[in-house]
Amino acid sequence: GAVAGISVAGTERGIGVEMRGCVVVACFVDAHTHLVKTHAHPRARNPTGSINDALATELEDQPRWAACACCRPDAMGGGADNARFAADGGPCENAVDVRRRMDFALATAYHHGCRAIRTHLDGTNSEDPRVAATVYAAFVRCRDAWKRRGLFVQGVANLYLPLWAGAFGFDAEAFADEAASHEDVVLGAYCGNLAETPEDESEAHFRALLEHARTRKLPV
């Protein structure tokens, strides 16, 4: 429904609703989530609560994201030793770890009144192409399923800011092209400590990100 009007309490006659102490609010918009990594505790426990250990724990867990009993049984236990960096086909239909956790998180958000949610697409810059493909496949499947129920899901193809300018030999063009091939995906960056980076370098990195977005007509 829609709000038809607002008036001072007691001044309008019409149908009354006994709220029993409740309030009416607009549906929620959650603008920053990590649905790819959610519900992975306690298997992927951050030992210190620091950002550095969070990133390290994610890398240890990533092999599970594209693991399945039929194609990659060794990776189902996680661990960097079980990561693969050679292309071995697209995502397996039986690699359900990301999809299962993402779908549960969206169901929970929907139940509690969320009608729009944005998530980082962690893993889409993985050296393992199957991890990236599995994350995108899970996003597309969940996005479409929940859109039919009235929950809009947006993904963010996110990179460490200097990577958008090709730092460390990263192929930002290919990354941006892949992001642009999926509906409801925008570009983004995490910046680190800009106070320790020369201003001209940071500006060049931001300009690179915005140029990738401009040429592909993508939001940031």
Side-chain angles (χ1 to χ4, degrees), residues 123-190:
T124 50
N125 64 328
S126 172
E127 295 180 70
D128 182 346
R130 185 173 282 198
V131 167
T134 299
V135 169
Y136 272 122
F139 166 75
V140 168
R141 188 157 175 169
C142 289
R143 176 203 66 197
D144 291 348
W146 284 99
K147 183 181 292 186
R148 290 192 291 270
R149 300 189 64 176
L151 174 57
F152 175 72
V153 185
Q154 183 182 75
V156 182
N158 209 45
L159 287 177
Y160 176 49
L161 180 61
L163 296 182
W164 285 112
F168 312 112
F170 186 78
D171 189 351
E173 290 284 345
F175 181 83
D177 285 342
E178 177 66 22
S181 72
H182 300 281
E183 184 181 348
D184 298 325
V185 172
V186 303
L187 304 186
Y190 56 98

Side-chain angles (χ1 to χ4, degrees), residues 166-217:
F168 312 112
F170 186 78
D171 189 351
E173 290 284 345
F175 181 83
D177 285 342
E178 177 66 22
S181 72
H182 300 281
E183 184 181 348
D184 298 325
V185 172
V186 303
L187 304 186
Y190 56 98
C191 301
N193 187 353
L194 293 179
E196 298 178 356
T197 305
E199 184 176 341
D200 59 336
E201 288 186 22
S202 295
E203 182 176 344
H205 299 159
F206 275 114
R207 287 185 180 278
L209 164 60
L210 296 174
E211 181 62 15
H212 285 298
R214 185 191 67 80
T215 57
R216 294 166 180 82
K217 296 181 173 59

Side-chain angles (χ1 to χ4, degrees), residues 52-95:
N52 287 338
D53 274 340
L55 294 172
T57 300
E58 176 189 335
L59 291 178
E60 285 289 305
D61 195 48
Q62 274 193 11
R64 293 187 177 99
W65 301 359
C68 55
C70 52
C71 303
R72 289 185 165 191
D74 55 330
M76 295 188 76
D81 291 342
N82 291 321
R84 301 185 185 182
F85 303 134
D88 58 354
C92 178
E93 182 66 21
N94 296 319

